[in-house]
Amino acid sequence: DIQMTQSPSSLSASVGDRVTITCRASQSISSYLNWYQQKPGKAPKLLIYAASSLQSGVPSRFSGSGSGTDFTLTISSLQPEDFATYYCQQSYSTPRGFTFGPGTKVDIK
Amino acid sequence: QLQLQESGPGLVKPSETLSLTCTVSGGSISSSSYYWGWIRQPPGKGLEWIGSIYYSGSTYYNPSLKSRVTISVDTSKNQFSLKLSSVTAADTAVYYCARLFIVVVPARGSYNAFDIWGQGTMVTVSS
């Protein structure tokens, strides 16, 4: 099974900050990596698929990079609506398996 | 636009079977471009993929839940369903249904992601 880790588990940041979240896979998953944003009481929202492709309607301040085992989600200038928990998810095993990372909570400094 | 809505009991007794249905509106569940899936989230915890189904009925399950999970599809009703047997308190969670899209990225290949989600339904396992 492919295991996913994320770092940090939480971070505090201010509006306007550049924020970077890291996701690591236990084996190479090429570019089969997605990022989601989840706000309290809401369903997750797809931000990035295929490691770096921006989902339609997602602001361009969100970007993804990486391949193999190491990936990064970057928010170039944090906005008030970006305070949320972010999850990575591997789709390398699709459709037979998907694994989510444990999440990174971004809150207000 | 496409919407997904989960429905089913909010309270299930231990050892019984949890049953949920996801109704798809604004589009057809029979599209060849999508799979359909169930994901759950225990209170205060992360996301866990339960399983996925194609409109043809092909199913894929999380190995850790496979012995207790059945996912089925009813194309005539534009619905797919989840059954989880022998539930315990550990199965208490918000259950989401979601669409898994298939997209071809030029020069890179075919990729999947859950792009549309239902609002989720809380299921508590308790006597």
Side-chain angles (χ1 to χ4, degrees):
Chain A
D1 290 2
I2 300 173
Q3 305 301 318
M4 309 299 294
T5 58
Q6 288 182 234
S7 61
S9 57
S10 65
L11 66 90
S12 296
S14 301
V15 173
D17 284 354
R18 181 181 182 88
V19 170
T20 299
I21 298 169
T22 297
C23 176
R24 177 166 290 175
S26 60
Q27 66 181 71
S28 176
I29 57 171
S30 184
S31 298
Y32 293 93
L33 193 284
N34 306 318
W35 289 98
Y36 300 84
Q37 175 194 67
Q38 187 179 35
K39 296 181 180 179
K42 300 294 186 181
K45 173 187 175 183
L46 178 65
L47 300 175
I48 302 283
Y49 63 92
S52 59
S53 296
L54 193 67
Q55 172 68 349
S56 176
V58 174
S60 59
R61 63 180 179 274
F62 291 94
S63 64
S65 64
S67 67
T69 60
D70 294 320
F71 302 87
T72 298
L73 173 70
T74 299
I75 309 171
S76 60
S77 178
L78 196 68
Q79 298 302 299
E81 61 267 31
D82 301 336
F83 292 98
T85 300
Y86 294 84
Y87 294 93
C88 62
Q89 175 231 332
Q90 66 85 9
S91 61
Y92 181 80
S93 310
T94 187
R96 290 175 174 76
F98 302 92
T99 316
F100 290 88
T104 295
K105 184 177 181 180
V106 177
D107 61 21
I108 301 171
K109 192 172 190 177
Chain B
Q1 70 279 22
L2 192 92
Q3 291 185 313
L4 286 73
Q5 178 69 57
E6 306 89 351
S7 59
L11 181 64
V12 181
K13 290 183 168 55
S15 80
E16 295 190 344
T17 296
L18 178 160
S19 297
L20 296 174
T21 296
C22 182
T23 300
V24 179
S25 59
S28 174
I29 202 171
S30 300
S31 171
S32 60
S33 299
Y34 308 109
Y35 288 80
W36 306 89
W38 289 97
I39 300 101
R40 70 180 182 178
Q41 185 172 35
K45 297 188 178 181
L47 299 162
E48 179 180 36
W49 172 72
I50 300 170
S52 299
I53 190 165
Y54 198 51
Y55 76 94
S56 63
S58 298
T59 52
Y60 308 91
Y61 300 136
N62 186 323
S64 69
L65 298 169
K66 187 174 183 178
S67 63
R68 299 195 291 131
V69 173
T70 302
I71 297 176
S72 59
V73 63
D74 186 336
T75 55
S76 67
K77 295 182 178 179
N78 231 29
Q79 296 175 334
F80 62 105
S81 298
L82 167 70
K83 291 189 186 298
L84 181 66
S85 64
S86 305
V87 297
T88 69
D91 296 309
T92 293
V94 175
Y95 286 76
Y96 296 100
C97 60
R99 186 179 79 171
L100 182 67
F101 76 69
I102 306 166
V103 62
V104 177
V105 178
R108 295 180 60 195
S110 176
Y111 293 84
N112 301 135
F114 293 104
D115 66 332
I116 298 177
W117 296 61
Q119 64 184 23
T121 187
M122 179 69 199
V123 178
T124 301
V125 178
S126 175
S127 56

